[in-house]
Amino acid sequence: MRPPVHIAVTGAAGQISYALIFRLIAGDLLGPEQPIVLRLLDVPDAVGALQGIVMELVDCASPLLDDVVITSSPQIAFQDADLAFLVGARPRTQGMERQDLLIVNAGIFSEQGKALNETAKETIRILVVGNPANTNALIAMTNAPRLPPAAFSAMTRLDHNRAVSQLAMKCACTVAEVRRVAIWGNHSTTQFPDIHHALIRGQPALDCVDFDWYAQDFIPTVQKRGAVVIEARGKSSAASAANAAIDQMRNWLYGTPDGDWTSMAIPCQGQYGMADDLVFSFPVTTHDGQYQVVPGLELNEFSRKQLALTERELLIEREMVAHLL
Ligand code: NAX
């Protein structure tokens, strides 16, 4: 029997985690041979709900579930963790401005960054899902100087998957026939869903679709998809977000397919002229558990303008949490 992999999940009593945890013990991330210890973190008021989740986990009789730890201490949650999904965050409530949300959640991610610094393995991989995901990842990373910056990423895979599906539907092809879509920048409505380098059955995507459709329909559809789901469902995306978290972590660990790439928000080191010290989404390839930004992509004036917009938003967010960096 292999030694278990310890997976920390924060916001474990929330709706995304409820869709994520059961897929983890079904082997959807690490395969059907790999035992798992789940380390579930939520606020003290949610520990009762976590106990119910533990009962349900037990009731799955999964051969892959080695143990479950439930806690409201981030230090305990991250102790010995190999992987961490930082999902927990305060949702935006009525009357709350984006700025208020940023400040409340910044406090959570600075505390969790410090806890990761104290107790996590140096080889841990941390995927930040809780919003505002890019800036939360930046705060956690800055507060965990013992860990390599490359241990952190924020989730833009849901945006990437949304873009792939929208393009496949428009071109009446399968999602497997769509390659090299990219999401640049912030996981927000300023993100830039880019199909300039995308291929449909090996042909340039922009030869298959009309540019006006791309600029006026596709881009806003992907950017605002989260709000449209909320309007229809009365709740924000949960199963698709959990699915994207598994996709992003799986590619990170096991690599991207030959001839394709994915999108991940990662610590920026000035690639494509973007400001350092942001967590910025780029097209990346992954290999042996490491990610590399796809180099040398041509960016036209349209793309540069979109990149500048999303970079500007991230710079403003960074300024607002400067006291925690
Ligand atoms: P829920 O409100 O269902 O769950 C959040 C959970 O986090 C709750 O159980 C809450 O008690 C817990 N929590 C709050 N503060 C905590 C803390 N300090 N430590 C540990 N746990 C804490 O939200 P859910 O729908 O699961 O969404 C979670 C986060 O994902 C939100 O910030 C949401 O905006 C974000 N999303 C990010 C996406 C992305 O693509 N990056 C897409 C989906 C989603 O909108």
Side-chain angles (χ1 to χ4, degrees):
M1 200 68 169
R2 300 178 189 180
V5 168
H6 288 241
I7 306 181
V9 179
T10 76
Q15 57 153 3
I16 293 177
S17 296
Y18 194 71
L20 173 67
I21 289 166
F22 294 90
R23 288 196 52 192
L24 295 175
I25 66 156
D28 287 358
L29 175 63
L30 301 175
E33 310 285 335
Q34 179 58 59
I36 287 169
V37 173
L38 285 174
R39 312 187 69 86
L40 307 181
L41 175 77
D42 211 298
V43 295
D45 281 353
V47 168
L50 286 184
Q51 282 163 352
I53 290 173
V54 172
M55 290 177 211
E56 285 205 76
L57 285 165
V58 168
D59 292 350
C60 289
S62 165
L64 296 183
L65 184 60
D66 190 79
D67 198 7
V68 191
V69 176
I70 58 172
T71 181
S72 56
S73 153
Q75 280 80 0
I76 294 174
F78 301 139
Q79 181 79 50
D80 296 328
D82 299 288
L83 306 174
F85 292 90
L86 305 193
V87 182
R90 273 273 300 280
R92 189 160 165 176
T93 43
Q94 220 169 10
M96 206 179 194
E97 297 296 327
R98 186 173 162 86
Q99 183 169 352
D100 304 329
L101 183 76
L102 192 79
I103 300 296
V104 172
N105 282 318
I108 294 175
F109 284 82
S110 113
E111 187 202 354
Q112 291 186 359
K114 291 188 178 94
L116 283 162
N117 200 53
E118 278 174 46
T119 61
K121 283 186 183 164
E122 242 174 87
T123 51
I124 189 172
R125 283 181 185 76
I126 301 148
L127 172 55
V128 177
V129 176
N131 278 322
N134 297 51
T135 297
N136 287 341
L138 179 70
I139 294 167
M141 179 184 101
T142 314
N143 282 278
R146 187 178 59 81
L147 303 179
F152 290 84
S153 79
M155 188 166 95
T156 47
R157 182 56 177 266
L158 180 54
D159 309 297
H160 181 99
N161 287 350
R162 287 167 171 165
V164 168
S165 283
Q166 291 297 322
L167 197 52
M169 285 192 292
K170 176 72 177 173
C171 299
C173 67
T174 66
V175 288
E177 290 170 327
V178 177
R179 289 188 291 136
R180 300 190 181 182
V181 163
I183 303 294
W184 300 82
N186 202 2
H187 167 68
S188 76
T189 53
T190 68
Q191 67 176 269
F192 172 39
D194 182 7
I195 65 166
H196 285 83
H197 314 281
L199 301 173
I200 307 286
R201 298 193 191 100
Q203 298 304 309
L206 281 173
D207 289 352
C208 307
V209 299
D210 178 84
F211 194 82
D212 282 348
W213 173 81
Y214 167 55
Q216 282 155 35
D217 196 338
F218 174 86
I219 292 180
T221 297
V222 176
Q223 288 172 329
K224 295 178 190 154
R225 183 73 162 178
V228 176
V229 170
I230 293 177
E231 211 177 291
R233 212 172 84 86
K235 290 180 188 165
S236 54
S237 310
S240 57
N243 178 69
I246 288 176
D247 282 351
Q248 182 160 333
M249 189 65 95
R250 197 198 300 107
N251 273 156
W252 193 357
L253 296 173
Y254 301 118
T256 38
D258 283 346
D260 202 0
W261 61 58
T262 186
S263 304
M264 283 172 78
I266 57 167
C268 178
Q269 296 174 316
Q271 295 96 332
Y272 292 96
M274 296 297 101
D276 281 347
D277 299 331
L278 294 178
V279 169
F280 195 93
S281 185
F282 288 102
V284 299
T285 53
T286 55
H287 186 67
D288 280 345
Q290 311 293 328
Y291 50 70
Q292 295 83 34
V293 174
V294 175
L297 296 175
E298 202 67 45
L299 295 175
N300 62 19
E301 205 190 325
F302 178 88
S303 303
R304 290 215 168 267
K305 272 191 191 151
Q306 303 277 336
L307 256 68
L309 274 177
T310 195
E311 180 196 33
R312 185 159 179 276
E313 183 183 46
L314 282 168
L315 287 169
I316 293 169
E317 287 187 13
R318 187 177 74 185
E319 195 52 43
M320 279 160 46
V321 299
H323 59 292
L324 293 169
L325 299 176

